[in-house]
Amino acid sequence: MAVYTDVSPAELGTFLSGYDIGTLTSFHGIAEGVENSNFLVQTTTGSYILTLYEKRVKTGDLPFFIGLMQHLAARGLSCPQPVAARSGAMLAQIADRPAAMVTFLPGVSVRRPTAQHCAELGHGLAQLHLAGADFPMRRANALSVAGWRPLFEAAGSQADDVAPGLAATIAEELGRLEASWPADLPSGVIHADLFPDNAFFLDDRLSGIIDFYFACTDFLAYDVAVCLNAWCFEADGAYNVTKGRALLAGYEALRPLSPAEKAALPRLARGAALRFLLTRLVDWLNVPEGALVRPKDPLEYLRKLRFHRAVDSAQDYGLVA
Amino acid sequence: MAVYTDVSPAELGTFLSGYDIGTLTSFHGIAEGVENSNFLVQTTTGSYILTLYEKRVKTGDLPFFIGLMQHLAARGLSCPQPVAARSGAMLAQIADRPAAMVTFLPGVSVRRPTAQHCAELGHGLAQLHLAGADFPMRRANALSVAGWRPLFEAAGSQADDVAPGLAATIAEELGRLEASWPADLPSGVIHADLFPDNAFFLDDRLSGIIDFYFACTDFLAYDVAVCLNAWCFEADGAYNVTKGRALLAGYEALRPLSPAEKAALPRLARGAALRFLLTRLVDWLNVPEGALVRPKDPLEYLRKLRFHRAVDSAQDYGLVA
C-alpha cells in the first residue's frame, strides 16, 4: 500500500481553489489503496480524501464509481460522498491523473471481525443493495464467471508451482461453475469487494463502507457470498457458523433472500472463492520487481473453496431456514 | 516514503488504552518519514501522530529526541509535543517497536519556498535555538566533520561512477574542512535537518517544525548553514540571495550572529553541503533491492558546494554587515 503519485502543496493549492471547501490546513499521503493514491486533506471546513486514479482504474469507469457513491450517500448509506468542484464537476485532474475529492469517513476497520461486526456488516450490505436499487447506471462484473477462465489461462500450468494439483482443481471447479452458474437471480449494484479493510466501525457499529472501485451490476446474493468468504472464516481456515448466521441475519433483517437466492448460495460462495483464488493466483505469479505490496496468499481461498464444495445447503452457512 | 510496520486496529486499541486521549475514531498510516513508520491517529480528543521507530533510529537516542520535543514545546516552539501515557512514560512499545505519540501539527510544507517563507523559517530556527539553550541533554552530531571521512570511505572509488572526478573533489574539500573546521562557536541544540519538508506553514506563516530525529548538540550557526543550503537555492542551482537575506534577517531578529559565527558561515555552508553530498552519495550507491524510496540526487549538493567555494564572506549569502 503506497502513494504512487507525488502531489506538491502548490499543485494541491491550485486544485483546491476550484472547490468551495475552505483553506488547506493539512495534507498527508495515506498508505492505503492498492490501486490508487490517496491523500487526507484537511481544510478549514473539515476532512476529505483526495483520490488520484492510477492506471489500473479505467477512466471510463469513473463516472459509474463516482455516481454510485453520490447516489448511495444521498440515500443515507454511510460511504464517501463525492464533493463537487465549483464548476459542478465531480471529477477533476491533478498531477496528470483523474482525481476526485470525497468526504472523510471516521471509523476504524477491524482485522478480526466478531459476530457483532458480521451482523453489522450484513445489515450494511443489505442497506447498500436497497439504496442501489434505483441507481440508473450499469457496469458489468468483469470478474464474474465469464472472467474466470481468462484468469485461469493467464496462470496456466504455473498454478501447480503454487500448490501441486492446483491447476486440475481449478479446471474442474471452473467447468462445474460455468455449467451451473445461476442465470436469473435478483440483480443490482454490488460492492463486490467488501472485505474487512473496506468497512469502518465506531464502537463496534458499522460507521462506513469504502472503496467502491470493484462495484458493478451483478447478483445481489453473490455480494453476500463474497462477504461470507471474507468475514466468516477464521485464521485457521475454519468457517465460523456463528459469524455466518450473524451476517445473514443482519442482511435478511433488511432484505430477505428469496428461495432461489438461498438455493444458489453454496454455488455463489464457491464462485466467490474461485474468483479470489484466481485473482490472487495471478497476482502471486506476477509480482513486479521492487513491488511495494506483498501479494495475498491464493491458497487461503483454495481452503475456502474446499469448504464450500462440501456444503449441502445455505443452512450450512448459518441461514435460518 | 512508506509505512514499514503494520499495526492492527486491535493492537492500537490496546496501546491507546494506556493513554488518556479518548476513544479511537480513525487511524491511517501516512506515507511520510524515511526512517520511521507514522500513523495519523484521531480520537475523540483530537489528532495525534503515532511514530514507530524502525531500526535506523537508535533506541538509546530516543530519550534525547522525545525530551527535546517536550522541552521545546514547553517553551512555546510549535513542534510535536509528546503525549505521556497514563503511567507517565513518553515512550511505549507497539508491534515490537519503540513508539511515541505526539500531538498533530496543522500546516503544509512548501516545495518552493518564497523569501517570505525563508524569513519565517529563519525566525523559527532562532526560536528553536533559544528555546533549546537550557535543554540539559547532549547528543553528539555523528554527521559533523568527524563523521564525513568514514562516509567518504564507504563511497570510495565508486564516487567517480556518479560523476567523473567526484572522489578527488570530495577528498580535497574534506581535507580543507578537517583542517579549518571551527572549534569554538556558540553551541547548543540544533535541528540539523530542517529542510522544507520538515517545516509547516499556514497562510505563509510558519506553523510548525517537525522531525527532530537528526537533532544534536553542535554549532548553532551550522544549523543556519544547513538551512541556507536547503532553502535558498533555486531548482536551477542558483543561490537566491534575496531568500538568503530573508532567512538570515529572520534569524538575526531573534538571535544575532556573533562576529565569529559570521566569519565562519562560508566554511559552515561548505561543510553542510559536503555532509548532504556524502550521505546522499552513500544512499545513492546503496539502494536496496525493491527500495520504496528513490534516493536524492547527490550532485545537487556538489553544485551547492561549488557555489560555497567561490564565496568570500557571509555578505555573499545576504547577511547585512
Side-chain angles (χ1 to χ4, degrees), chain A residues 91-136:
Chain A
L91 270 167
Q93 189 95 9
I94 186 169
D96 292 325
R97 279 160 183 76
M101 186 82 78
V102 301
T103 54
F104 176 84
L105 287 186
V108 180
S109 59
V110 294
R111 201 70 60 94
R112 294 187 187 169
T114 62
Q116 156 81 2
H117 294 130
C118 292
E120 286 282 318
L121 189 274
H123 194 269
L125 182 67
Q127 205 193 348
L128 190 165
H129 290 169
L130 296 178
D134 60 342
F135 183 58

Side-chain angles (χ1 to χ4, degrees), chain A residues 4-315:
Chain A
Y4 300 93
T5 300
D6 192 32
V7 173
S8 74
E11 270 177 310
L12 183 66
T14 307
F15 181 82
L16 285 182
S17 67
Y19 288 81
D20 245 339
I21 58 171
T23 310
L24 185 67
T25 59
S26 160
F27 168 50
H28 294 278
I30 59 177
E32 279 160 45
V34 174
E35 308 274 324
N36 301 314
S37 296
N38 290 293
F39 297 87
L40 173 53
V41 172
Q42 296 179 299
T43 76
T44 44
T45 65
S47 296
Y48 304 87
I49 298 285
L50 170 66
T51 300
L52 273 62
Y53 299 101
E54 304 292 343
K55 57 175 188 277
R56 274 186 74 167
V57 173
K58 288 190 195 137
T59 310
D61 283 336
L62 291 176
F64 178 90
F65 300 141
I66 301 289
L68 177 59
M69 287 190 274
Q70 204 179 352
H71 180 96
L72 296 175
R75 274 148 192 81
L77 190 79
S78 183
C79 70
Q81 183 161 13
V83 177
R86 277 211 195 83
S87 67
M90 293 289 180
L91 270 167
Q93 189 95 9
I94 186 169
D96 292 325
R97 279 160 183 76
M101 186 82 78
V102 301
T103 54
F104 176 84
L105 287 186
V108 180
S109 59
V110 294
R111 201 70 60 94
R112 294 187 187 169
T114 62
Q116 156 81 2
H117 294 130
C118 292
E120 286 282 318
L121 189 274
H123 194 269
L125 182 67
Q127 205 193 348
L128 190 165
H129 290 169
L130 296 178
D134 60 342
F135 183 58
M137 300 174 78
R138 291 184 57 83
R139 179 176 177 264
N141 185 0
L143 294 173
S144 186
V145 62
W148 299 338
R149 189 163 291 278
L151 284 174
F152 180 44
E153 286 162 0
S157 57
Q158 285 186 278
D160 285 344
D161 300 344
V162 177
L166 181 57
T169 303
I170 294 176
E172 189 202 346
E173 185 65 25
L174 185 53
R176 283 194 203 193
L177 287 173
E178 284 172 338
S180 66
W181 196 246
D184 57 354
L185 296 174
S187 287
V189 165
I190 69 167
H191 185 287
D193 193 41
L194 192 40
F195 277 63
D197 49 350
N198 289 332
F200 286 164
F201 291 86
L202 281 176
D203 295 330
D204 295 332
R205 302 296 303 265
L206 186 71
S207 65
I209 291 175
I210 63 165
D211 199 345
F212 286 80
Y213 302 107
F214 285 95
C216 53
T217 316
D218 203 346
F219 301 144
L220 303 179
Y222 176 70
D223 224 8
V224 176
V226 169
C227 290
L228 289 173
N229 273 287
W231 290 76
C232 304
F233 284 86
E234 299 300 315
D236 67 1
Y239 182 77
N240 184 323
V241 75
T242 305
K243 294 182 181 176
R245 188 177 298 124
L247 193 154
L248 291 164
Y251 187 88
E252 288 206 290
L254 265 189
R255 182 183 174 269
L257 293 166
S258 72
E261 287 178 305
K262 291 179 185 178
L265 202 56
R267 247 173 314 155
L268 296 173
R270 284 167 70 160
L274 184 63
R275 173 255 186 265
F276 288 100
L277 169 57
L278 283 167
T279 50
R280 287 188 176 192
L281 180 63
V282 170
D283 287 344
W284 189 268
L285 294 171
N286 294 282
V287 180
E289 220 173 313
L292 306 179
V293 182
R294 210 177 92 96
K296 290 175 181 157
D297 181 12
L299 299 182
E300 177 190 338
Y301 272 82
L302 177 62
R303 290 187 289 272
K304 291 178 180 181
L305 178 60
R306 287 205 179 110
F307 171 82
H308 298 308
R309 289 173 75 155
V311 156
D312 279 330
S313 77
Q315 273 84 47

Side-chain angles (χ1 to χ4, degrees), chain B residues 30 40 60 102 104 117 124 137 167 174 176 178 184 186 192 200 214 218 263-264 301 316:
Chain B
I30 59 178
L40 173 53
V102 301
F104 176 82
H117 294 130
M137 300 174 79
L174 186 52
R176 283 192 203 195
E178 285 172 338
D184 57 355
F200 285 164
F214 285 95
D218 203 345
Y301 272 83
D316 292 349

Side-chain angles (χ1 to χ4, degrees), chain B residues 26-51:
Chain B
S26 162
F27 168 50
H28 296 276
I30 59 178
E32 278 159 46
V34 173
E35 307 274 324
N36 301 314
S37 296
N38 289 294
F39 297 87
L40 173 53
V41 172
Q42 296 179 297
T43 75
T44 44
T45 66
S47 296
Y48 303 87
I49 298 284
L50 172 64
T51 300

Side-chain angles (χ1 to χ4, degrees), chain B residues 8 54 74 78 88 92 96 106 125 150 172 212 283 303:
Chain B
S8 74
E54 303 292 342
S78 184
D96 291 327
L125 182 67
E172 189 203 344
F212 286 79
D283 288 344
R303 290 186 289 272

Side-chain angles (χ1 to χ4, degrees), chain B:
Chain B
M1 292 177 292
V3 171
Y4 300 94
T5 300
D6 192 34
V7 173
S8 74
E11 269 176 309
L12 183 65
T14 307
F15 181 82
L16 285 182
S17 67
Y19 287 81
D20 245 339
I21 58 170
T23 309
L24 185 67
T25 59
S26 162
F27 168 50
H28 296 276
I30 59 178
E32 278 159 46
V34 173
E35 307 274 324
N36 301 314
S37 296
N38 289 294
F39 297 87
L40 173 53
V41 172
Q42 296 179 297
T43 75
T44 44
T45 66
S47 296
Y48 303 87
I49 298 284
L50 172 64
T51 300
L52 273 62
Y53 299 101
E54 303 292 342
K55 58 174 186 283
R56 274 185 75 167
V57 173
K58 288 189 194 139
T59 311
D61 283 335
L62 291 175
F64 178 90
F65 300 140
I66 302 289
L68 177 60
M69 287 189 275
Q70 204 179 352
H71 181 95
L72 296 175
R75 275 149 192 81
L77 190 80
S78 184
C79 70
Q81 181 161 14
V83 177
R86 278 213 194 82
S87 66
M90 293 288 180
L91 271 167
Q93 189 95 10
I94 186 169
D96 291 327
R97 277 159 185 76
M101 186 81 78
V102 301
T103 54
F104 176 82
L105 287 187
V108 180
S109 58
V110 294
R111 202 71 58 93
R112 294 186 187 169
T114 62
Q116 156 81 2
H117 294 130
C118 292
E120 286 282 318
L121 189 274
H123 194 269
L125 182 67
Q127 204 192 348
L128 190 164
H129 289 168
L130 296 179
D134 60 341
F135 183 57
M137 300 174 79
R138 292 183 56 82
R139 178 175 177 264
N141 185 0
L143 294 174
S144 185
V145 63
W148 299 338
R149 190 162 291 278
L151 284 173
F152 181 44
E153 285 162 0
S157 58
Q158 285 186 279
D160 284 343
D161 300 344
V162 177
L166 182 58
T169 303
I170 294 176
E172 189 203 344
E173 185 65 25
L174 186 52
R176 283 192 203 195
L177 288 173
E178 285 172 338
S180 67
W181 196 246
D184 57 355
L185 296 173
S187 288
V189 165
I190 69 167
H191 185 286
D193 193 41
L194 191 40
F195 276 64
D197 50 348
N198 289 332
F200 285 164
F201 292 86
L202 281 176
D203 294 330
D204 294 332
R205 302 297 304 266
L206 186 71
S207 65
I209 292 175
I210 63 165
D211 200 346
F212 286 79
Y213 302 108
F214 285 95
C216 55
T217 316
D218 203 345
F219 301 144
L220 302 180
Y222 176 70
D223 224 8
V224 176
V226 169
C227 290
L228 289 174
N229 274 286
W231 290 76
C232 302
F233 284 85
E234 298 301 313
D236 66 3
Y239 181 76
N240 184 322
V241 75
T242 306
K243 294 183 182 176
R245 190 178 297 125
L247 193 153
L248 290 164
Y251 186 85
E252 288 207 288
L254 264 189
R255 181 182 175 270
L257 294 167
S258 72
E261 286 179 306
K262 290 179 186 180
L265 202 57
R267 248 173 312 156
L268 296 172
R270 283 165 72 161
L274 185 63
R275 173 257 187 262
F276 289 100
L277 170 56
L278 284 167
T279 50
R280 286 188 177 192
L281 180 64
V282 171
D283 288 344
W284 189 270
L285 294 171
N286 294 282
V287 180
E289 220 173 315
L292 306 181
V293 182
R294 208 177 94 96
K296 289 175 182 155
D297 182 11
L299 299 183
E300 177 189 339
Y301 272 83
L302 176 62
R303 290 186 289 272
K304 292 178 180 180
L305 178 60
R306 288 207 178 111
F307 171 81
H308 299 308
R309 288 172 76 154
V311 157
D312 280 328
S313 77
Q315 272 83 45
D316 292 349
Y317 293 117
L319 194 78
V320 178

